Amino acid sequence: MEPGAAAAVGTAGAVGAAASAGAPAAAAAAAAGASAAAVSASYCPLPLPLSDGEQQCYSELFARCCCAPATSSSFFSSSSSSSSSSSSSSSSSSSSSSSSSSAGHPQPAAELGRGASLPGPAATAGANQVGDLFRASQLPAETLHQITELCGAKRVGYFGLTQFYVALKLIAAAQSGLPVQVESIKCELPLPQFMALKNDEIRYSNPTELHGMKCQIPYVTMEKNSFKRVDDGEKQQEKMSPIMSPVSSPPSSPSSYQRVPLTYGYGKLRSGMDQMHAAPYETRQHTLQQEGSTSGSHGPKPTRRQTSLIQSLSVEREPQESNSNYPDDPWRITEEQREYYINQFKSLQPDLSSFISGSLAKNFFTKSKLTIPELSYIWELSDVDCDGALTLPEFCAAFHLIVARKNGYPLPESLPQTLQPDYLQTAFLKPKWDCALFDSYSESMPVNQQPRDLNRIEKSSIKEKTDLTAPAQDVNIDDKQALKISSVDEAMPKDLSVDTATSKDLNTLKARPRSRSYSNTSLEEAMKRVEEPPTPPPRPQKSHSRTSSLDLNKVFQPNAPAAKPGLLPPPPALPPRPLMSQVLHHNTSNDSISQTKLPGQLPGYGDFRLLEQVLLTQIGCVWWNFREQIRKDNDLQTKEQIAEEKDLCQTEQVSEIELHPQLTRTPSQTEESGSPVKKDLPHTQPPSKPIRRKFRPENQVMENQEPSSVSGTSSVPTVPTVKPHASIQKQSSKQKKAIQTAIRKNKEANAVLARLNSELQQQLKEVHQERIALENQLEQLRPVTVL
Amino acid sequence: MAVCIAVIAKENYPLYIRSIPAEQELKFHYTVHTSLDVVDEKVSAMGKALVDQRELYLGLLYPTEDYKVYGYVTNSKVKFVMVVDSSNTALRDNEIRSMFRKLHNSYTDVMCNPFYNPGDRIHSRAFDNMVTSMMVQVC
C-alpha cells in the first residue's frame, strides 16, 4: 500500500504539476492511445474518446488494479499515463509502438518510471482487482461478462490498459442505463461509479457517492490537491485489495453491523485511542469520502499542512466503515459518537457540566497517537473560549476532530458550525436526558442545520459554555433537527434546543428562550418535560427536613456526638457540675423508671422518651433535669392514676402536657438562676396542677388510651415494655386517638422546648465564659498575697 | 502597520518571529536581536523604580531611519518586539499599545493550549492569523 500510496502521491503531484501542460499532452496522448487502442484492439475498433476526467479516473483505477499484483505481464501503455509525466509519455510512445505488436511483453515496472508516474500503464490490471472493481460497480454479473467481452479482455486474455478503459467506459454506460455495446461508449458518459472496497473488510458505502467522488476528486482537484489524490489513492488501494469481496452484498447492513459493535466497544477507554477511534473513524470514513466530493475545498487546505502527514494517515487509517447518518457532513456528530464522547467525558470528569482541565485533556488526547502539532491545532479549534479547559461541547468537538483526523479527514481551517459549542450544547443536552427521545427525533429529522439558531444559541451557549459539556455533537444535530421539525420558526428550535440543552444547567438560559418560544409541538413539550425528570448535577446536600428532632440532631451532633438512644449524653460545654451529677442520676433513674414503671406511663412518654434520647445527647443536663422532673412528676402521676383509675391518668396526661410548657419556663429560669435544676423542679410541680383541670376530660380519654397508644407507637423503644393495664384495655378507640393526638402535641412541644433549651444552653455558655473572664480579672486585681 | 513582529522568550530566544516583506527578514531578525538589549535596559531601569508595578508597554525602543522598534514585556519576561515602518507616521502610541495588547491576548491563548509546551516555538494558527492581520495592514 505504501508504495502505491507513494506512487499515487507522486502521480497526483505529477498530475497536478503537469495538469496544464499535460492537457495538450493528454489530448495528444489520448489520440495516440485511441489510435493505439484502435490498432491493438481490433475487437473494439472504435476510437475510445476519453475526457480528461475520465483519463484521470481510468488511469487511476488501472493503476490501482495494477498496483497490488503489480509485476505482471505485458506492458501495455496507454495515452492516459502520459499526462502524468514526461517519462510516462515517453514510455507511452514506446509502449504504443509496442502495443502495436500487441504482444504481452512483460516490461519491468521500472520502465514506467514508477516512482515518478503512474504505475498504471505497466502491465495489465490484475484480474482480481479488476474483478473487484467491476463488481464494485454493482452491475449484474451478466452485464459485467458482457462488458468484459466487449472490451476485449477476454479476447486478449488480460486487462490491458485499453481493455480496462473500454471496460470502464462500458461500465459507465451500463450504469447510465445505456445498453452495453461498443457504440455506447462513443458518447460522453459519466464516470463509472464503484462501491468502496476496503482491504480487510467489506464495507459498502453509498457506491455512487464513493466512487463518484473518487473519480471526481481527481477531476476536481487535480490541479491542486495532492492530498485528495492520496486519499483517493488510498481508498482505491483498498478497493484494489486482492480479496475477492462479494461486491453484491447489501451495502448498508454489514457496515452498520460492523460499525455498531465497534462503536459500543468504544465505551471502554482502551490504551491508545485507536480502538476508540475506530468506529467513529469508520463512520467518518465514508462521510469523508463523500465529503471530499462535496467540499473539495477541504482538499487544498489540508494539503499544505498535511501532505507530510499523509503517509502517517494512510498508516493510521484503520479499516474504516463509512456509514453515517449524514453522509454529506463529516463534522456532524452522530448519536453513537455523541454518546461515546459523553462517556469518555464522564470517565475524565464525572460532572458533565464542569470542565476537563487542560492537562487531563492533553493526556487523554495524546493517546490518540496524533502528533502534538495536530493536537495543538485541534485544541485551538475546539477550545473556543481559550480558557485551557474543555467543557462538554468543546470536548465533543475536540474528540470529533481527532476522530475525523484519524480517519484521514483534513482538519478544517475553522471550527465547523456543527462543532461549535453552542450548537453542541443545545443538541447535546437533550440526548443526555433522554436518548430514546432523541432517537425518535433523529429518525424523523432531515439533515439540516440552523445557522441562525446556531448564532443565537452560540451567544447563549457561549455564556453557558462552562455549564455544558458537549461530547455529543451528533446529538446536537439531532436536536437541531428535532427542533427544526417541531418549531415553526427557525429561531424557535434554537430556543427550544437551548431550553432543552440548558434546562439542566442554566435556568436563565432556559428562561430566555422560553420567553420567545411560542408554539410547542408535542415533541418540544416532551423534550422539556424530559428535561425535568433527569436528575440535575449533584445537589447540595440538604439538611434533614423531617422532624424537628432530627434537625436538632444535626444541630447538636457537633456538640454531642455520643450515641443517642439510651446513652448518657456527653455534657455540653460548661455544664454546671451539680447538674452533671443530677443528670447522671436522673438519667439512670429515668432509664430505670422508663423500664420499670411502664404501665402507668402515658403513651406519650414512649414517644417522648425517644425524643428525649435524641435531645439529651444534644441539649444537656438542664434538659435532663427537666425531663427527670417531668418523669418523676409523671411517674407520680401515673402512680396516682393507677391507684385512682381514670381521673388520675387524665391528670397525668395533662400534667405531662403541662410540663412541657413548664419546661420552657424552666430553662429560662435556669438561665437566670444559674442553678437550674433544683429550682426548676419545684416549679414544675405546682403549675401543673392547675392546668390539669383543663385537660381533664382529655386526659381521661388519654389515660384510657395510654397503654394502647403506647403499644401502638412503634417508634418508642420502650413501648414493648409498656403493658396495658387490664383496666386500660377497656378504653375505647376514641380515647386512643385522643391520646395519640396528645402525644403528638407533646412531641411538638418537646421539640420546641428542645430548641429553646439549646438556645438557652448557648446563652449559658456565653454567660459562663463571661463569668470566667470576670473571675480572671478578679484574680488579677486581687492583691498578690492571695495565691 | 508592523513589518516585523517577534515574540522573545524569557531566555531571549525567539518563540515566534515573522516579518514582511520576506526579503528583509534577516535584517529584521538582527534588529530584533539588538533591540533586546534596549528592552533589558528599560526593564531593569523600570524595575528599580517601580518594583511592584511595572508598565508592560515599553514604548519606542529606538528609532532608525527606516523604522521604529517598539517593545512590550509581559510579567513572565516574555518580550514582544514590533518593528514598524517609519513611513507609517499615522501610527500612534495608542495603536501600538492596542496591537501589543492583542498580541498579549493571543499569546495567552496559545499558552492555554495544553499541548503547547512553554518554550516551544509558537505554531498556533490563530496566533498566525492575528499576527497576519496586524502586519497585512501595512501592505
Side-chain angles (χ1 to χ4, degrees), chain A residues 518-592:
Chain A
Y518 49 89
S519 67
N520 287 337
T521 65
S522 61
L523 283 180
E524 297 168 355
E525 289 169 341
M527 280 160 35
K528 285 183 186 173
R529 266 183 258 113
V530 168
E531 301 166 5
E532 310 301 329
T535 60
R539 297 190 186 89
Q541 190 128 25
K542 286 186 189 171
S543 60
H544 221 302
S545 59
R546 279 199 237 143
T547 63
S548 56
S549 63
L550 292 177
D551 286 340
L552 288 173
N553 279 343
K554 285 198 178 178
V555 171
F556 296 128
Q557 265 171 3
N559 298 334
K564 308 164 193 175
L567 295 181
L568 284 177
L574 309 177
R577 300 236 168 201
L579 291 177
M580 282 306 302
S581 60
Q582 277 188 354
V583 170
L584 291 171
H585 174 69
H586 288 311
N587 201 358
T588 53
S589 64
N590 184 27
D591 285 343
S592 61

Side-chain angles (χ1 to χ4, degrees), chain A residues 305 358 362 376-377 379-380 386, chain B residues 109 112-114 117 124-126:
Chain A
R305 256 186 256 103
K362 176 178 179 179
S376 177
Y377 181 59
W379 177 280
E380 238 182 75
C386 291
Chain B
D109 291 342
C112 282
N113 190 334
N117 298 318
S124 158
R125 234 167 290 192

Side-chain angles (χ1 to χ4, degrees), chain A residues 165-177:
Chain A
Y165 283 16
V166 173
L168 289 177
K169 244 335 201 166
L170 288 169
I171 287 172
Q175 286 178 342
S176 313

Side-chain angles (χ1 to χ4, degrees), chain A residues 751-764:
Chain A
V752 170
L753 291 171
R755 272 193 228 107
L756 246 179
N757 211 348
S758 64
E759 291 170 9
L760 294 169
Q761 227 21 59
Q762 276 295 322
Q763 293 177 5
L764 188 62

Side-chain angles (χ1 to χ4, degrees), chain A residues 138 201 297 378 429 455 531 676 686:
Chain A
Q138 289 190 318
E201 295 182 29
S297 62
I378 287 173
L429 287 181
N455 290 335
E531 301 166 5

